[in-house]
Amino acid sequence: MPSLKDLRVRIASVKSTQKITSAMKMVAAAKLKRAQVAAEQGRPYAESMERMLSGLLSGMSSRDNAPKLLAGNGRDQKHLLVIVTSDRGLAGGFNANIAREARRKISALQREGKEVKVLSIGRKGRDALRRDHGRLILDTLENVTRNGAQFEPARDLSRRLRKMFDDGDFDVCTLLFNTFKSAISQVVTAKQVIPFPTETLTASDAAAPAGGIYEMEPDDEALLKDLLPANLSMQIFRSLLESFASEQGARMTAMDNATRNAGEMIDRLTLTYNRSRQAAITKELIEIISGAEAV
């Protein structure tokens, strides 16, 4: 049975923790509102970019001279996984879900005899995979979303991926990130970005508008040469927007749960403290009365 002093110290400690988790919840809630708006505003542009590329592809008579970002390099042996996580924890299952899906995908690709490489955005992704797949991690990009999702890091990463692709470091690149649904729901999403996944297009996406006759200037190949890198940057930027909003939502939910759990623990400890204190007082009274009767 802990002493009264031990109970008082523990109650004070839990109250201090509760103040911290409550403050983190409010900070995450404030960031979430802005991040959610940014993620929702980024979706239409990214989806429109893909539809525009689909329309161009549907009108091409031949893809013999298509850019490598579209046609690929003819191989499917080397796979690069870009996993988007956070640099900080205390966000519930936000990072664990990405790490779990990354492990599953790595195992599936290795069973097929593929060579897998990993590029981690955020320290938590590296830390989660370092024990089992440390040799596969090429690099870790830290503090990418420290001040929110920005386009410049996405553009820089796009340039780096294009250079790696041109140098033959990988054949297929896939993004792994959390898509924001709500503060309590984030969906792990795997999206192939290199080469452009033409097989995922629906018939409605690929079809040209009825009665539409278009004359392109410049030609399709020249447009694709500029649009494909822009689309890659936009898809990476969208993954950062979705991931940052998901992180704030997961952290707000986790800190809310932690704050309520701390309150319940304080109530239990206070009840135990009061009972122990009452028992000690009763024991002292019994000793006083017993001593008085003995005299």
Side-chain angles (χ1 to χ4, degrees):
M1 185 69 179
S3 65
L4 293 176
K5 181 180 179 181
D6 292 338
L7 289 171
R8 285 197 301 269
V9 170
R10 190 170 182 187
I11 290 172
S13 175
V14 176
K15 285 183 177 178
S16 298
T17 302
Q18 186 184 41
K19 291 179 181 178
I20 295 173
T21 57
S22 179
M24 292 184 66
K25 171 194 169 184
M26 290 187 290
V27 171
K31 291 182 178 180
L32 172 62
K33 186 174 182 180
R34 296 192 298 270
Q36 181 177 353
V37 171
E40 291 174 348
Q41 290 178 345
R43 291 171 188 168
Y45 187 85
E47 293 168 358
S48 298
M49 177 75 76
E50 289 188 322
R51 285 197 298 269
M52 181 167 56
L53 284 172
S54 303
L56 284 174
L57 296 177
S58 64
M60 291 181 63
S61 58
S62 173
R63 299 184 185 179
D64 295 337
N65 298 322
K68 286 180 62 178
L69 287 177
L70 172 63
N73 55 15
R75 297 185 298 272
D76 185 30
Q77 181 61 28
K78 300 178 182 179
H79 285 252
L80 176 66
L81 300 181
V82 180
I83 59 174
V84 186
T85 59
S86 66
D87 292 294
R88 298 187 301 157
L90 298 177
F94 170 77
N95 294 302
N97 293 336
I98 288 290
R100 187 183 304 112
E101 177 63 19
R103 292 191 191 96
R104 188 199 65 78
K105 197 163 185 64
I106 289 172
S107 299
L109 289 171
Q110 288 179 337
R111 284 196 299 270
E112 296 174 4
K114 310 295 185 182
E115 180 183 347
V116 183
K117 301 177 182 179
V118 176
L119 179 63
S120 176
I121 300 178
R123 290 194 298 267
K124 290 301 178 179
R126 175 199 63 194
D127 295 343
L129 298 177
R130 182 164 48 187
R131 179 176 179 180
D132 298 328
H133 304 291
R135 59 185 178 81
L136 305 180
I137 300 176
L138 297 178
D139 194 10
T140 302
L141 306 180
E142 301 181 8
N143 299 321
V144 173
T145 57
R146 182 174 183 177
N147 299 318
Q150 305 292 331
F151 184 73
E152 287 76 12
R155 182 182 57 197
D156 294 341
L157 179 57
S158 172
R159 292 170 178 168
R160 178 175 179 179
L161 293 179
R162 296 202 308 270
K163 184 178 185 305
M164 292 174 64
F165 184 57
D166 291 336
D167 293 342
D169 294 336
F170 64 86
D171 304 321
V172 179
C173 177
T174 303
L175 287 175
L176 279 179
F177 60 96
N178 279 296
T179 298
F180 178 81
K181 296 297 182 183
S182 68
I184 60 174
S185 176
Q186 300 87 36
V187 179
V188 177
T189 303
K191 185 176 184 61
Q192 179 180 316
V193 290
I194 297 178
F196 185 77
T198 56
E199 68 277 3
T200 62
L201 302 177
T202 63
S204 60
D205 289 333
I213 300 176
Y214 298 93
E215 193 171 306
M216 298 292 185
E217 182 69 30
D219 56 15
D220 295 349
E221 287 76 9
L223 286 173
L224 287 173
K225 186 177 181 181
D226 291 334
L227 287 178
L228 285 169
N231 177 68
L232 177 59
S233 299
M234 187 59 212
Q235 299 307 323
I236 295 174
F237 181 46
R238 179 186 179 183
S239 72
L240 296 181
L241 289 171
E242 298 282 358
S243 181
F244 184 68
S246 299
E247 177 188 353
Q248 302 310 317
R251 179 168 291 115
M252 185 187 73
T253 302
M255 292 301 98
D256 180 57
N257 292 335
T259 301
R260 285 190 281 108
N261 291 339
E264 294 174 1
M265 181 176 291
I266 290 171
D267 292 340
R268 291 196 302 269
L269 290 172
T270 301
L271 181 60
T272 302
Y273 173 80
N274 290 337
R275 286 176 176 174
S276 299
R277 182 169 176 270
Q278 187 62 45
I281 293 173
T282 302
K283 181 180 179 181
E284 291 177 1
L285 288 174
I286 292 174
E287 290 176 352
I288 293 172
I289 293 172
S290 299
E293 290 179 353
V295 175

